[in-house]
Amino acid sequence: MLKIAYDGIYIHPLKENHRFPMIKYELIPEQLIKENTCNQNNFFQPGLISNENILLTHDKIYYDKLENQQLNKKELRAIGFPMSLDLIEREKKIVQGTIESALNSLKHQVSLNIAGGTHHAFSNRAEAFCILNDQAIAANFLIHNKFCSRILILDLDVHQGNGTAEIFKNNTSVFTASFHGEKNYPFRKEKSDYDYGFFDGVNDNEYLKVIKYEVPKIIDQFQPDFIFYLSGVDILENDKLGKLSVSIDGCSERDSFILNYCKKNNI
């Protein structure tokens, strides 16, 4: 059965006209139910992650500053959210949602988290609405507990997964692959194990040609036993900041292709 992590805490209150589209965490579950993709039984509420599991990935000094609300002005500015204990609790729920989704996918092949994809969180700092790196933490959890030994983090958000790249730069058990907008944020990019930068305005044909050639090659060469997939929809032509020109049909074809390729290869 498809299990989807979701909790009301994902919808964090922000001031009116804040640039982060927090409402999406409310609209996505509603739409999935409305279109009969799933029902209420598919959703589960994650618990709270342990400090031990967070510290498999994040620097203790940084994490202590989060817990004690001691970030300085520069560090707070980099986050983009007003800091509070409620915000940190939300982040922990999201990260645990990704861990529990990973465990569910080991049983049922695939599982989803409504939130997550916080790929701009570095081991020792936050950036761009990302405080704790959920997929990195979940990957380290799976490896530490010997559920998996070779993990691919496939990041197809329009922004490079710079935090994820930094976290795993010296880790041969995790392969980081990022397909992103070359001229989009972050403007100073980290080095993933594999990076592909699309130029502005790329259309469906150009985009899918790259994905359908490069992604199978990465999977075949690295031979992962688990894949975290960040399915970015900010590649869509109607995204105000994405700068790419991929259609909804193109985005759907991308996701179907990757899912079917993984099924075919028993991943």
Side-chain angles (χ1 to χ4, degrees):
M1 182 182 190
L2 176 63
K3 305 298 289 184
I4 304 172
Y6 174 73
D7 192 291
I9 199 173
Y10 287 7
I11 310 163
H12 187 71
L14 296 172
K15 289 184 178 180
E16 189 176 356
N17 297 322
H18 192 284
R19 63 194 178 104
F20 187 86
M22 192 66 70
I23 194 172
K24 65 183 177 180
Y25 300 122
E26 180 179 348
L27 297 178
I28 292 172
E30 290 179 358
Q31 181 63 27
L32 290 174
I33 293 172
K34 181 179 179 181
E35 66 189 25
N36 293 319
T37 298
C38 60
N39 58 51
Q40 291 288 357
N41 293 328
N42 293 108
F43 295 95
F44 70 91
Q45 289 184 306
L48 275 179
I49 189 171
S50 69
N51 292 340
E52 177 185 6
N53 285 334
I54 291 174
L55 293 174
L56 291 173
T57 298
H58 288 287
D59 177 77
K60 188 176 187 305
I61 294 175
Y62 166 63
Y63 182 58
D64 285 346
K65 289 169 77 173
L66 288 175
E67 287 279 81
N68 297 310
Q69 302 285 282
Q70 292 179 340
L71 296 179
N72 60 40
K73 289 183 179 180
K74 181 179 179 181
E75 291 167 327
L76 290 172
R77 195 180 311 116
I79 293 173
F81 289 141
M83 181 53 61
S84 68
L85 289 173
D86 287 343
L87 179 65
I88 301 306
E89 182 180 1
R90 171 186 183 268
E91 300 305 305
K92 290 181 180 181
K93 278 274 189 177
I94 289 172
V95 173
Q96 184 64 18
T98 300
I99 288 178
E100 292 181 28
S101 292
L103 294 174
N104 279 319
S105 71
L106 290 173
K107 298 177 183 177
H108 307 295
Q109 291 191 309
V110 65
S111 184
L112 310 174
N113 192 353
I114 290 294
T118 47
H119 60 168
H120 298 310
F122 287 67
S123 60
N124 61 355
R125 63 183 175 89
E127 185 178 294
F129 311 121
C130 300
I131 300 172
L132 299 173
N133 193 312
D134 67 301
Q135 291 189 343
I137 291 172
N140 280 327
F141 171 86
L142 292 180
I143 291 171
H144 179 75
N145 290 283
K146 296 182 170 46
F147 289 107
C148 305
S149 59
R150 294 175 67 78
I151 293 176
L152 167 63
I153 298 182
L154 180 58
D155 189 337
L156 269 65
D157 191 271
V158 80
H159 306 109
Q160 192 216 29
N162 55 344
T164 307
E166 180 269 330
I167 288 168
F168 292 115
K169 61 184 177 183
N170 297 315
N171 188 329
T172 57
S173 296
V174 178
F175 190 98
T176 57
S178 181
F179 293 79
H180 49 262
E182 181 65 29
K183 296 183 178 180
N184 213 315
Y185 179 91
F187 303 109
R188 180 187 176 278
K189 293 177 171 58
E190 297 291 322
K191 182 175 174 55
S192 309
D193 292 305
Y194 179 92
D195 285 296
Y196 191 99
F198 291 100
F199 289 103
D200 295 355
V202 68
N203 61 28
D204 285 11
N205 289 336
E206 296 165 328
Y207 182 84
L208 291 170
K209 183 179 179 180
V210 171
I211 296 300
K212 290 181 178 182
Y213 178 77
E214 297 294 343
V215 171
K217 191 165 66 169
I218 290 169
I219 293 173
D220 293 347
Q221 290 178 353
F222 184 65
Q223 292 288 300
D225 50 17
F226 194 94
I227 296 176
F228 285 98
Y229 179 37
L230 203 170
S231 173
V233 295
D234 44 7
I235 63 167
L236 292 173
E237 57 193 341
N238 61 356
D239 188 283
K240 295 179 180 178
L241 302 176
K243 300 182 181 180
L244 304 187
S245 297
V246 179
S247 70
I248 291 176
D249 288 342
C251 190
S252 179
E253 184 177 342
R254 174 200 69 177
D255 292 347
S256 295
F257 172 79
I258 290 171
L259 180 61
N260 289 332
Y261 193 83
C262 290
K263 283 183 176 180
K264 179 181 175 183
N265 290 274
N266 298 314
I267 303 173

